[in-house]
Amino acid sequence: MQVRAGMGVGRLCGGEPAMESDVPSNLLSNPSMMQPSSLVLADPQNEPELQSFSQAVHVLLRLLLAVRYRKNLVVAVMTAAILLGAAYYVTATRRYDSKAALLISQAGGDRLDPSIASGELQRQNVMPTFESMVRSAKVLEGALKELSPTDCIDRHGEPQKFSVDVLRGHLSVKTIRLTNILEVGYTSTDPQIAANVVRAVVQSYLNFMDSIHRGTAGEISRMLTKEREDLAGKLSDKQTELLKCRRQFADMGFRSDAKALHPMVQRAVYFNDALIAAQKDRVENETLVASIETAVARGADLISYLPAVVEGPGRELMLSELGLGANDVVTQANLQRELIDAKTQLETMQQNLGPRHPEVIALTEKVRLTEQFLQNAQLKIGQQTTGNRQLGPRLAQMARQKLEESRKKEEKLQQCFEEARTEAINLSGQLAQVEMLERDIKRLSGLNDVLLNQIASLDLRQNGPDVRVAVIEEATVKESPVSPRLPLVAMITVMSGFGLAIGLVTLLDALDDRFRSIDEMQSRLGLPLLAMIQQLQPPESTGPMALVTHASPMSMESEGFRTLRTSLALTQPDANRLVVSSTEPGDGKTTTLANLAVCCAQGDKRTLLIDADLRRPGLTNLMNMRGPRGLSEVLRSEMDVAQIAPSYVRASGVSGLDILPSGSRPNDPAELLGGPRFAQLLAWAETVYDMILIDSPPLMATADTAIVGRLVDGVILVVQPAKNHRRLVTRVVERLNMMKIPVFGLVINRTGSEAEYGYYGYHEYGYRYEYGEGYGHDAHVSKRDADGEPCVSSVGGFDNAEEPCVRVIPRRVA
């Protein structure tokens, strides 16, 4: 609702003063309008999602309303579906199935790539082949041969005619996902026959696979045998040639790459090793001679050179001559080692123990005594060797003699090595041809062995093929049928019945483009219902007497307009400028507007009726005020509106009600209404009148109502359900909402007899009265009598405490 500066908060058609509120009262009075599509969203980014959700909710609600209205149709369709499903379940032929599971494994697969992806790819490529083989005519023909005559008669005694096509039609073969397992199944009217057929198919498939692999292995075996025979001839020729070469070259079979060398090569290697040892011995003897000569010249101790110069008994004899035995030398060597160990231990103990510790003292004394003993022994040996001047020359002579012997030995070994090396070099060329023949023989022998192994493995595969098939689940007899299944039939029956019912409801709803109930109208349009107007008799005259609220204010037909007045007073207490329009011409908007104006005037409100339908002025014609003076002249005039408007307003003949007729028909009605003078006219009227009611053209015909709607507080939409199409009315309301023009609510017009309009579900309640003396035929409920029953007064809807109470008897009126 639009609130303007200077607009007071007054009464609406005699209502009580309204309280100001930030929330429009039409939202408070109609919770159905408080929906996501009619609210201002706080987050613009979420607006499309909320609008989509709101539209989905509206569609669902409309569907539910349509189903509710046509619930009898839904119940009938569901009942028919259930009956058909029950009949099918009772009369359908029972079918039984039996299944067996086969494990397919390949012994010759790719064992070098154990990845999961490789196994899955192999399974996807191979398993469909095995499925097709089970369905093949070869396997099915073998299965037919496996079936016994008893398998051709079912449990009811009916004969069964089996053929390849019949078996294939009832046979199911599928691979269990992510496995190498084939599931073979068969359906039949007899569970025993289903199990026997599955067993026969499985056995035929096993026989077929066995025959395939046996035949393939035999063919390959014959090819490999022929190839091996050719290879054996080549191998025999090579072996003969090798024997001839060995005899020619006196070859003993020694090769350079073997552990055992040829004798000639071994001889060269032996002399080479001996020569190296002789050279090493010569060098050592030369060093020994030089060392002894140096020791003699310096007068050093020569006892240490005795073991190197003199060996065996000669060394013992010479030590005896010097007064020393072999044990003395060993003893001195041991004492030397013990002395070194004792000194090392003494240093360690001195770091941890004091110098006066008993163990330190004992170890120090042991070191001193050992050193003293060794010194005395050296002095003794020195005295003996000094007295014997012949030891030095003798040792030097013996060393030089030993050196001369090592030189002669080296020369002889060098000569022998040169001869053996020459013979070995001449031998290598002769053995090359022999080695080549040996390599060829080795290669041919290896290939021959491979062929022998392949032939042997093929012979074994005839008993164990590469593709192995194992039965991991035998076919069993199942007494429970697989068709029809009660849960499945029930589910399909309910779903199909409900789907068909929804489809029929949707189709009928699309074909019947009418509002079927008030709830549907309010839900689809998002607007409250303000009042329902009964079918009125065509007026016999024009002017005020053509209005039922003025001609028969106490009639039941007038009650609908007073209800409209009361609804506006309660839902829009601050609104004093209203536009009444409709979707199409002939909906009764002008009659509704005129009677509402009379009701407002009867409520002591100064009311102005403006005929803004400048194209087809229905209000002007109804009130018999045709003429050149009217709204169009006020809007075209250049005079001040406040000065010229009063002269164009005419009295209606009803107290408190004035009318501004349309005047002459202009060429540009939309431009006149959209100009500033019409807004000035409304501003002037607000200062003079309590209520301003405007009649405008139908919304689908022109844009005049949209222009006027922006200048008033709101729009009242008159709907004739029997005439207006639902999509048309919905489009009109959506257009008004899009242009931000408030729509206060709906007025349902021309609700006739129940026989005619009961299909749409429009009903209202009237009253049959029992009057006392002096009262008319109709009354308005205002209070209750002493017994608590409703009672009314006869004064046009306003309480009068002084008037006697009249008992009210309700009755339903279409």
Side-chain angles (χ1 to χ4, degrees), residues 2-305:
Q2 301 174 352
V3 180
R4 297 173 179 79
M7 183 185 299
V9 181
R11 298 170 179 261
L12 177 63
C13 303
E16 295 295 327
M19 300 298 294
E20 293 184 350
S21 174
D22 295 334
V23 181
S25 57
N26 63 331
L27 293 180
L28 297 176
S29 62
N30 185 19
S32 64
M33 296 179 64
M34 299 288 288
Q35 299 174 357
S37 62
S38 60
L39 299 178
V40 178
L41 300 178
D43 189 359
Q45 296 180 353
N46 296 333
E47 183 174 357
E49 297 179 0
L50 292 178
Q51 287 182 351
S52 300
F53 175 75
S54 176
Q55 292 176 358
V57 171
H58 287 166
V59 171
L60 180 60
L61 290 177
R62 287 196 294 268
L63 179 61
L64 292 177
L65 288 174
V67 171
R68 177 185 174 187
Y69 172 73
R70 302 185 186 276
K71 57 186 177 183
N72 293 333
L73 175 63
V74 174
V75 171
V77 172
M78 290 294 297
T79 302
I82 292 173
L83 292 177
L84 290 175
Y88 167 76
Y89 182 77
V90 172
T91 60
T93 302
R94 267 48 179 172
R95 302 195 68 85
Y96 304 85
D97 74 335
S98 183
K99 294 180 180 179
L102 304 177
L103 176 62
I104 309 296
S105 59
Q106 287 186 291
D110 187 4
R111 299 176 183 176
L112 298 178
D113 188 7
S115 62
I116 297 176
S118 176
E120 177 64 22
L121 181 60
Q122 183 181 15
R123 181 165 45 249
Q124 292 178 357
N125 293 334
V126 174
M127 295 306 292
T129 303
F130 296 136
E131 293 181 15
S132 301
M133 291 172 66
V134 175
R135 297 191 186 94
S136 64
K138 187 82 172 179
V139 173
L140 297 182
E141 288 174 357
L144 290 175
K145 297 176 182 179
E146 294 286 340
L147 293 176
S148 63
T150 57
D151 296 330
C152 298
I153 301 176
D154 63 10
R155 59 169 53 182
H156 303 294
E158 296 293 334
Q160 301 289 313
K161 295 182 180 180
F162 288 113
S163 64
V164 173
D165 294 335
V166 172
L167 287 180
R168 187 180 290 118
H170 295 86
L171 185 68
S172 63
V173 183
K174 65 179 181 179
T175 303
I176 299 178
R177 188 173 180 269
L178 301 180
T179 65
N180 288 346
I181 298 176
L182 280 181
E183 188 179 73
V184 181
Y186 187 82
T187 59
S188 175
T189 58
D190 191 312
Q192 185 64 49
I193 293 178
N196 293 341
V197 169
V198 172
R199 296 190 189 106
V201 171
V202 170
Q203 187 60 44
S204 177
Y205 177 69
L206 295 176
N207 297 337
F208 177 70
M209 294 295 293
D210 185 66
S211 63
I212 286 179
H213 289 287
R214 282 182 180 273
T216 303
E219 181 67 23
I220 296 176
S221 178
R222 287 191 294 271
M223 294 174 59
L224 293 179
T225 301
K226 184 177 183 303
E227 184 178 355
R228 179 184 168 278
E229 292 175 354
D230 297 340
L231 184 62
K234 295 180 181 179
L235 181 60
S236 178
D237 295 341
K238 291 291 182 181
Q239 290 175 344
T240 303
E241 186 177 357
L242 177 62
L243 290 176
K244 186 183 296 185
C245 289
R246 283 181 175 177
R247 291 171 184 170
Q248 182 180 356
F249 302 134
D251 182 30
M252 299 177 64
F254 296 96
R255 294 293 174 266
S256 59
D257 57 347
K259 293 183 179 180
L261 301 176
H262 194 277
M264 294 182 181
V265 178
Q266 290 181 1
R267 183 169 176 269
V269 171
Y270 171 77
F271 283 124
N272 181 56
D273 295 339
L275 179 60
I276 293 173
Q279 292 174 349
K280 181 180 179 183
D281 188 30
R282 176 183 56 80
V283 173
E284 291 177 352
N285 290 332
E286 289 176 351
T287 304
L288 179 62
V289 171
S291 299
I292 293 175
E293 290 176 351
T294 302
V296 170
R298 293 180 179 178
D301 183 18
L302 300 176
I303 298 299
S304 59
Y305 295 101

Side-chain angles (χ1 to χ4, degrees), residues 526-659:
L527 298 174
L529 177 64
L530 299 177
M532 299 175 64
I533 309 299
Q534 293 187 13
Q535 176 73 37
L536 302 179
Q537 296 296 328
E540 298 179 356
S541 60
T542 58
M545 296 306 296
L547 305 177
V548 65
T549 52
H550 178 70
S552 301
M554 304 305 296
S555 64
M556 187 167 53
E557 289 79 4
S558 301
E559 196 64 31
F561 299 104
R562 281 192 288 269
T563 300
L564 175 59
R565 179 192 65 184
T566 304
S567 298
L568 290 173
L570 295 176
T571 59
Q572 307 293 336
D574 298 335
N576 63 348
R577 297 194 296 188
L578 303 176
V579 172
V580 177
S581 185
S582 63
T583 305
E584 304 173 78
D587 291 339
K589 62 178 180 62
T590 302
T591 303
T592 301
L593 175 68
N595 284 279
L596 174 61
V598 172
C599 290
C600 291
Q602 291 174 351
D604 295 334
K605 303 298 294 181
R606 291 201 61 191
T607 305
L608 175 64
L609 263 177
I610 300 178
D611 189 358
D613 190 353
L614 302 180
R615 306 171 189 272
R616 296 179 61 184
L619 178 62
T620 301
N621 296 332
L622 178 64
M623 302 305 294
N624 196 18
M625 294 184 179
R626 292 185 293 271
R629 298 176 59 83
L631 176 62
S632 59
E633 281 68 25
V634 173
L635 298 180
R636 282 198 296 258
S637 176
E638 297 180 356
M639 297 178 60
D640 183 63
V641 173
Q643 296 178 0
I644 190 174
S647 61
Y648 284 86
V649 174
R650 301 170 63 177
S652 64
V654 179
S655 177
L657 177 62
D658 293 336
I659 300 176

Side-chain angles (χ1 to χ4, degrees), residues 521-522 525 527-531 716-717 719 733 744-748:
M521 181 182 296
Q522 289 179 303
L525 303 179
L527 298 174
L529 177 64
L530 299 177
I716 299 174
L717 187 63
V719 179
V733 174
F744 288 159
L746 304 171
V747 175
I748 297 180

